[in-house]
Amino acid sequence: MIANALMILGALIVIFMIIVDASKKNIPMLHSISRAVLIVLVLLAGLNIKWMSKSEKVPVYFAVDQSYSQKYNRVSIEEALENMIEKLPQDQPYKIVSFGSDSIVAMNKTGDFEGIDLSQINVNESSTNYENVINMISSELEDELGANIVILSDGVENEGDVLRTIQKLKIKKANVYWLPYEIAIKKDVQISDIVGPNRIFENQDYKLSVLVESNYDTEGFLKIYVNDELIEEQLVKIPEGNSVLTREFDSNKIGQNVIEAVIEVDDDEQVINNKYRKIIQIDGKAQVLLIKDNENDLKQFEKLLNENEIGVDIKTPEKLSLELNSLLNYNAVIFEDVSLENLNKKFLDNLETYLRDYGGGLLVSGGKNSYALGGYYKTKLEELLPVSMEKKQKNILEKMGLVIVIDQSGSMMGDSLGKSKIEVAKEASAKAINSMMPGDQIGILSFSDSRKWVVPVGDIQDAKEIKRKIRTIDAEGGTSIIPALKSAYESLKDSNVQHKHIILVTDGQAEQDGYREVLKNLKDEKITLTTLGIGQGADNRLLNFLARNAGGRFYKVDNYLNLPEIFTKETAMMADRYLNNRVFYPNIVSANEIVSGLIEEPLLLNGYVSTTIKPRASLIMESDEEEPVLAYWNYGIGNVYAWTSDFDGMWNEQYLKAENGRIFYLKLINEVLKKNQQKLEFDEKSMGLNHKIIVYRQSDEEDYEFKLIDQSGQEYPIMTKKSVDGWEIEFKKGDGYIYSLIARDKENKTIDYNFVTQYSKEYDWTIRNEDNFRFYLSQIGGEELKSSDEFESKEQFRKTEYKELWRYFLVIFLILLLVDVYIRKTDKRKIYERQNKEEIADLELKNQDVNSETDLDIDKLIRNKNKKV
């Protein structure tokens, strides 16, 4: 506006100056007029003057939500409609479109509002489908004319997807306004969910939690049906808000069981949402293969399984069958602190098939003989687990160097526990290698009154070859420790590793003096020394002195069969790897049903084995150092869980004693026992009257045909759409409530997925997603009205088109400019000619005057001459 005013003012000043010059005859009048016109044309072009070329009436649509949630708002909606229609111009056409699940035109007219009774409009009130009504309106709109659309609704969508279609209104240049209404529900009690297991085993007790929501305090009868048979009826108090009614059940009927919960309240004004159903599959008694090192040592964890009707078959690694069929008899396999030392590779191959193709379950516990300590690193078992064996500190895997110094004197051949001490020492040395990583260094030095490098210090490249060399050690000779320690020191001092450690194992007496130099050297090079004195003949005083002064530990080993555990522990502890012997509360990082009882009443753990979560895995519990305690993933169609603490009471004592700890273990076992024999995974989504089943496949090569039937055998039409991960199958709900989706492959094999449908979400007054509608509205520049009175100030009821005139002014300006230039040039030439003529005439006149004067002078001279004569 200011710019326009300045342009006009400037133009007037210039025109005024031209007129003044013209009045003084400085420039011709025609030129003055021409210049003034040119300036006016430039001014008009700059002001961008428009001319109305066309005006049309813009259609007005009132989209009225008549779903069930707006049942009690009908009168106020009718009043709002009347108020807005009265504000329309007299000849303005408008339409009232009622919608619920479907959409119909309730009124199509021009002129005064004569009243409308929305209760007489029969739409399907069982859901709210904005996509449907917007599609209907946008299909009628012209691309350029636009429209004014007012949506009277609560903004809560429960069928269709408005996001897929609302952009059409922007393309059609429609002005969209939303007049929001609250969900109008009076007294209502509803069942929102039944929470509990989907699959259990025969004779297992289980709990179901019925979630009840009410908007007032009342009481009613809760009835529980199993396969249409009433098994429980109880009067319950129902407070305003949320409440949970938990019931215990016995699983004594194998097969599919339909649980139905019904709440009956006398003054409840909406009963359609008082019923909820759930399917539970009850299988025969669960069978678990428990693998542990001692099958006769029945501990608390196994007792817990037996007490809960879970069959347990305990076997040591050496006694495992190598036939795949033997694995298929079990619902799950559990490793309880097991080393892979004696586990056959064929069994691990079968275990992979059992998980991937047959949907079995696997649970691996921690302990001193498991995970990295059990030699799982880079094995088939590590591939199957959701955690890897590496432990990284500050993102750098610290390397270690270990020298095992083994007494091979004749006394080490002693055998009092079924094995000679030298054989157990060799076995322990081999197990220590399982805890080491590539890049670590190992050396095996045997000594008596002489010494021999069985394995010179170097990187671990071939663990099998190292173990083979260890087996060659024989017992002979006396005992001389100092030379052996010096050799071990010399081999480690220049090693390029972060941790250097020596383990000395002996059963005899040795030199009493001469150790101070070697101890000083060890301390200077930060090499630690741990000593093990086996049996009554060992010089424990000396060994304790050596360990204490070399930063290590001394073990008095009366039962030398424990040597492998001590070696494993030492190997892990020397670099602060793997074994974490400390008290902490695990952090729960996933809202998983397994850990629900530990959220309010957490329990302490006394330790765990360090691992690292794999990228695709899900973490449920972690340590105070953010390392996995409980993690899981699916391997193929099998369930695999990693519990890095133990089962036998070393670290998990509170979990075995506390009620919520025992429940935690039972829930964990139940999840592992979910033996899924299907190669497809299913998910479902309820959308008003429609229901969608999402089918996920394991590979792109799988192809299936689908058929849907209900409990009576009636087949339903389905819409099947392929997706990247599988298929989306959509159908309209019928009279049945139990359905089976049957997938048939090319080999005519079938997979059944059974499910139940619930009441429409339209009748669930707790669901609110109007913020989504606000967001979608903002994406197309729509507005939210506070009341129907705002409608008048916002509406444009005519579509007016204007043409901009600046182009025309500019063309005229250019034409006149050329004319003006031509005129100026022509006038200038004429002026030059006239000036030339005037100059010639003046010159001729001057010549005449000169000639006259000359003639007079001659005549005067003649007269003067004559006088003299």
Side-chain angles (χ1 to χ4, degrees):
M1 183 65 74
I2 296 175
N4 290 344
L6 291 175
M7 289 175 62
I8 295 171
L9 179 61
L12 292 174
I13 292 171
V14 174
I15 293 171
F16 175 75
M17 294 173 65
I18 292 172
I19 293 171
V20 171
D21 278 351
S23 65
K24 294 180 179 180
K25 297 184 179 180
N26 293 333
I27 55 176
M29 184 59 69
L30 180 60
H31 291 183
S32 300
I33 294 172
S34 174
R35 290 178 183 180
V37 170
L38 288 173
I39 291 171
V40 170
L41 287 171
V42 172
L43 176 64
L44 292 175
L47 292 175
N48 195 22
I49 297 174
K50 298 177 182 178
W51 170 66
M52 186 176 70
S53 63
K54 185 171 66 173
S55 179
E56 293 183 64
K57 295 170 185 174
V58 176
V60 177
Y61 289 85
F62 298 98
V64 180
D65 183 358
Q66 285 196 246
S67 62
Y68 183 84
S69 62
Q70 295 303 301
K71 178 179 180 180
Y72 296 105
N73 288 333
R74 284 175 183 165
V75 174
S76 61
I77 290 176
E78 289 170 357
E79 292 172 354
L81 282 172
E82 184 173 1
N83 185 31
M84 289 186 287
I85 291 173
E86 285 177 352
K87 300 177 188 300
L88 298 176
Q90 191 66 25
D91 59 346
Q92 177 68 44
Y94 62 87
K95 286 185 180 182
I96 297 176
V97 181
S98 291
F99 70 94
S101 176
D102 52 356
S103 304
I104 63 170
V105 177
M107 181 180 286
N108 183 5
K109 64 172 293 181
T110 302
D112 293 336
F113 181 75
E114 299 174 352
I116 181 172
D117 184 359
L118 294 176
S119 64
Q120 300 302 311
I121 310 302
N122 295 319
V123 297
N124 191 324
E125 66 175 19
S126 63
S127 65
T128 304
N129 191 328
Y130 295 110
E131 179 183 6
N132 203 339
V133 68
I134 289 175
N135 266 334
M136 178 180 178
I137 294 174
S138 63
S139 65
E140 297 184 5
L141 300 181
E142 298 179 19
D143 289 342
E144 297 298 327
L145 184 57
N148 295 296
I149 302 171
V150 184
I151 300 173
L152 298 87
S153 173
D154 53 30
V156 178
E157 179 185 40
N158 46 54
E159 183 176 4
D161 186 356
V162 67
L163 184 60
R164 288 190 299 217
T165 189
I166 199 168
Q167 290 293 339
K168 291 182 180 179
L169 299 181
K170 188 175 183 179
I171 296 171
K172 299 282 187 175
K173 298 184 178 180
N175 300 314
V176 183
Y177 305 97
W178 174 38
L179 183 58
Y181 285 83
E182 291 292 328
I183 296 177
I185 299 294
K186 294 186 178 180
K187 290 184 175 181
D188 188 39
V189 178
Q190 72 177 38
I191 299 178
S192 299
D193 199 2
I194 299 177
V195 179
N198 297 320
R199 193 183 193 105
I200 56 176
F201 296 93
E202 184 183 15
N203 297 322
Q204 265 189 279
D205 294 339
Y206 65 97
K207 292 182 180 180
L208 291 179
S209 296
V210 181
L211 305 186
V212 179
E213 297 183 79
S214 176
N215 57 10
Y216 69 110
D217 290 331
T218 185
E219 65 179 16
F221 285 94
L222 174 66
K223 296 182 178 181
I224 304 294
Y225 296 84
V226 177
N227 300 325
D228 295 327
E229 179 184 350
L230 179 64
I231 64 169
E232 181 180 341
E233 180 178 4
Q234 185 177 355
L235 181 66
V236 293
K237 294 286 186 181
I238 305 172
E240 181 179 357
N242 304 330
S243 56
V244 179
L245 305 176
T246 302
R247 297 293 182 268
E248 292 189 0
F249 299 90
D250 297 326
S251 54
N252 51 19
K253 183 178 179 182
I254 296 176
Q256 178 179 283
N257 287 259
V258 179
I259 311 296
E260 183 176 61
V262 179
I263 193 81
E264 293 182 356
V265 180
D266 289 339
D267 53 351
D268 189 355
E269 297 182 3
Q270 176 178 270
V271 297
I272 196 169
N273 57 5
N274 290 26
K275 185 182 296 184
Y276 210 92
R277 304 180 181 94
K278 180 181 180 65
I279 289 182
I280 296 179
Q281 180 68 31
I282 300 178
D283 297 331
K285 186 176 180 179
Q287 293 291 326
V288 169
L289 172 61
L290 181 62
I291 305 172
K292 54 190 300 185
D293 288 329
N294 188 350
E295 59 186 323
N296 297 319
D297 185 11
L298 191 62
K299 297 184 178 178
Q300 293 186 58
F301 181 73
E302 294 87 86
K303 293 177 182 178
L304 180 64
L305 297 178
N306 289 328
E307 289 170 1
N308 286 273
E309 298 296 328
I310 298 175
V312 182
D313 189 5
I314 303 175
K315 290 188 177 181
T316 61
E318 298 85 356
K319 294 184 178 180
L320 290 171
S321 171
L322 301 183
E323 297 295 328
L324 175 62
N325 287 340
S326 66
L327 267 181
L328 300 182
N329 295 325
Y330 301 105
N331 300 95
V333 177
I334 299 176
F335 282 71
E336 185 178 341
D337 190 22
V338 175
S339 169
L340 294 193
E341 185 74 20
N342 299 312
L343 201 62
N344 193 290
K345 183 180 179 299
K346 174 64 175 174
F347 177 81
L348 293 178
D349 291 338
N350 291 340
L351 183 63
E352 179 183 25
T353 304
Y354 166 76
L355 294 170
R356 183 190 61 215
D357 300 328
Y358 291 90
L362 173 64
L363 171 62
V364 176
S365 81
K368 295 179 179 179
N369 301 297
S370 63
Y371 294 105
L373 308 179
Y376 298 180
Y377 181 68
K378 286 192 175 181
T379 65
K380 178 66 68 177
L381 185 55
E382 185 185 36
E383 290 180 20
L384 303 179
L385 291 173
V387 293
S388 64
M389 301 306 108
E390 292 185 358
K391 177 185 177 180
K392 293 187 177 181
Q393 297 179 357
K394 299 178 182 179
N395 297 321
I396 300 173
L397 188 61
E398 296 182 338
K399 298 179 181 179
M400 63 180 179
L402 173 65
V403 173
I404 300 176
V405 182
I406 302 175
D407 182 358
Q408 64 169 145
S409 62
S411 60
M412 288 288 287
M413 283 298 293
D415 178 4
S416 60
L417 297 173
K419 282 186 178 180
S420 67
K421 288 178 279 187
I422 190 67
E423 289 300 322
V424 176
K426 290 190 292 184
E427 180 184 324
S429 300
K431 182 164 286 191
I433 297 171
N434 294 336
S435 303
M436 304 180 75
M437 301 289 185
D440 289 344
Q441 295 185 346
I442 185 73
I444 308 295
L445 177 64
S446 63
F447 75 96
S448 54
D449 43 18
S450 62
R451 58 195 179 281
K452 175 185 177 184
W453 281 104
V454 180
V455 178
V457 174
D459 292 344
I460 298 176
Q461 295 179 349
D462 189 345
K464 287 185 178 179
E465 178 61 18
I466 294 174
K467 292 176 183 179
R468 185 193 67 77
K469 290 180 178 179
I470 291 172
R471 289 195 292 269
T472 65
I473 299 175
D474 292 324
E476 59 182 358
T479 304
S480 181
I481 293 177
I482 292 177
L485 288 179
K486 285 183 177 180
S487 294
Y489 158 74
E490 291 293 337
S491 66
L492 276 178
K493 69 175 183 178
D494 296 324
S495 293
N496 185 25
V497 293
Q498 286 76 30
H499 301 277
K500 303 172 184 180
H501 191 57
I502 300 172
I503 298 177
L504 170 65
V505 53
T506 180
D507 69 340
Q509 303 288 323
E511 304 93 337
Q512 296 298 304
D513 297 313
Y515 294 97
R516 295 197 178 276
E517 180 184 354
V518 70
L519 289 174
K520 180 180 182 302
N521 291 338
L522 292 174
K523 185 176 182 181
D524 290 344
E525 295 297 330
K526 297 182 180 179
I527 301 174
T528 54
L529 170 66
T530 287
T531 58
L532 289 80
I534 303 177
Q536 300 300 319
D539 190 344
N540 292 330
R541 183 192 60 80
L542 172 63
L543 296 176
N544 189 20
F545 166 79
L546 294 175
R548 188 174 66 250
N549 285 276
R553 289 155 294 280
F554 164 68
Y555 294 90
K556 182 181 178 182
V557 185
D558 292 328
N559 182 354
Y560 57 82
L561 294 181
N562 292 330
L563 278 179
E565 291 185 6
I566 297 173
F567 270 47
T568 299
K569 178 180 177 181
E570 277 297 306
T571 307
M573 289 180 66
M574 76 179 210
D576 192 26
R577 290 180 179 175
Y578 312 123
L579 280 180
N580 295 272
N581 291 293
R582 66 175 184 279
V583 179
F584 68 96
Y585 284 105
N587 299 320
I588 295 174
V589 297
S590 173
N592 193 294
E593 173 62 21
I594 296 174
V595 293
S596 59
L598 300 175
I599 296 176
E600 294 183 1
E601 298 181 47
L603 297 175
L604 287 167
L605 281 175
N606 296 331
Y608 67 100
V609 183
S610 289
T611 58
T612 301
I613 191 76
K614 289 182 180 177
R616 283 196 311 108
S618 298
L619 187 62
I620 300 176
M621 298 170 68
E622 67 178 8
S623 73
D624 53 339
E625 293 189 354
E626 299 182 349
E627 292 182 317
V629 172
L630 179 62
Y632 81 98
W633 70 356
N634 293 113
Y635 190 90
I637 57 174
N639 304 312
V640 183
Y641 283 79
W643 169 249
T644 61
S645 191
D646 68 330
F647 285 150
D648 63 9
M650 177 177 65
W651 293 326
N652 70 331
E653 184 178 4
Q654 285 197 17
Y655 283 72
L656 293 172
K657 291 181 178 179
E659 179 64 20
N660 60 328
R662 294 166 66 85
I663 292 173
F664 159 75
Y665 277 133
L666 287 176
K667 287 181 178 180
L668 174 58
I669 295 300
N670 283 332
E671 288 299 314
V672 178
L673 289 175
K674 287 182 177 178
K675 188 173 182 181
N676 181 10
Q677 297 187 1
Q678 300 179 359
K679 293 185 178 180
L680 298 174
E681 294 182 15
F682 299 86
D683 197 2
E684 54 186 293
K685 179 181 179 183
S686 181
M687 306 174 299
L689 292 179
N690 289 341
H691 203 78
K692 181 184 285 187
I693 304 295
I694 302 149
V695 185
Y696 301 99
R697 58 185 171 189
Q698 299 293 326
S699 70
D700 295 337
E701 299 176 358
E702 297 175 67
D703 197 13
Y704 292 85
E705 293 181 354
F706 299 93
K707 182 171 72 171
L708 181 72
I709 60 175
D710 66 11
Q711 73 271 23
S712 66
Q714 179 183 347
E715 186 173 348
Y716 288 79
I718 58 176
M719 291 181 290
T720 305
K721 181 173 122 182
K722 274 199 172 185
S723 64
V724 176
D725 299 323
W727 300 267
E728 293 181 359
I729 298 166
E730 193 170 330
F731 70 97
K732 281 194 175 293
K733 299 175 187 175
D735 296 330
Y737 60 87
I738 304 174
Y739 296 88
S740 293
L741 180 66
I742 302 171
R744 188 181 302 275
D745 64 14
K746 295 178 181 179
E747 297 177 359
N748 220 26
K749 295 179 180 178
T750 61
I751 298 172
D752 296 349
Y753 173 67
N754 300 318
F755 61 97
V756 294
T757 58
Q758 314 294 349
Y759 57 81
S760 169
K761 295 301 182 183
E762 180 69 28
Y763 305 102
D764 186 347
W765 46 268
T766 65
I767 294 178
R768 306 302 299 261
N769 56 20
E770 59 268 35
D771 285 341
N772 292 342
F773 192 79
R774 285 190 176 91
F775 173 76
Y776 300 149
L777 197 66
S778 68
Q779 298 303 297
I780 61 169
E783 296 185 46
E784 181 177 343
L785 304 177
K786 293 181 180 178
S787 70
S788 59
D789 293 331
E790 290 190 4
F791 177 66
E792 183 178 24
S793 63
K794 294 184 178 298
E795 296 309 307
Q796 295 293 329
F797 302 117
R798 300 188 74 84
K799 176 75 173 181
T800 304
E801 294 185 2
Y802 295 91
K803 288 188 177 179
E804 296 178 340
L805 299 181
W806 65 270
R807 296 180 181 86
Y808 303 102
F809 292 131
L810 189 59
V811 171
I812 296 171
F813 169 82
L814 292 173
I815 294 171
L816 288 181
L817 180 62
L818 294 174
V819 172
D820 181 69
V821 171
Y822 174 76
I823 291 173
R824 290 185 190 186
K825 287 186 176 181
T826 303
D827 287 350
K828 190 175 287 187
R829 187 164 51 250
K830 290 179 179 179
I831 290 170
Y832 288 157
E833 289 175 357
R834 186 171 64 250
Q835 287 176 346
N836 288 336
K837 288 179 180 180
E838 289 175 353
E839 289 175 358
I840 292 170
D842 290 341
L843 184 60
E844 288 177 352
L845 184 59
K846 287 179 180 180
N847 290 336
Q848 289 176 1
D849 291 341
V850 170
N851 290 335
S852 297
E853 290 177 359
T854 303
D855 290 342
L856 289 174
D857 290 340
I858 293 172
D859 290 341
K860 188 175 180 181
L861 289 172
I862 293 173
R863 284 195 303 270
N864 290 334
K865 188 176 181 182
N866 289 336
K867 286 180 179 181
K868 290 179 180 181
V869 172

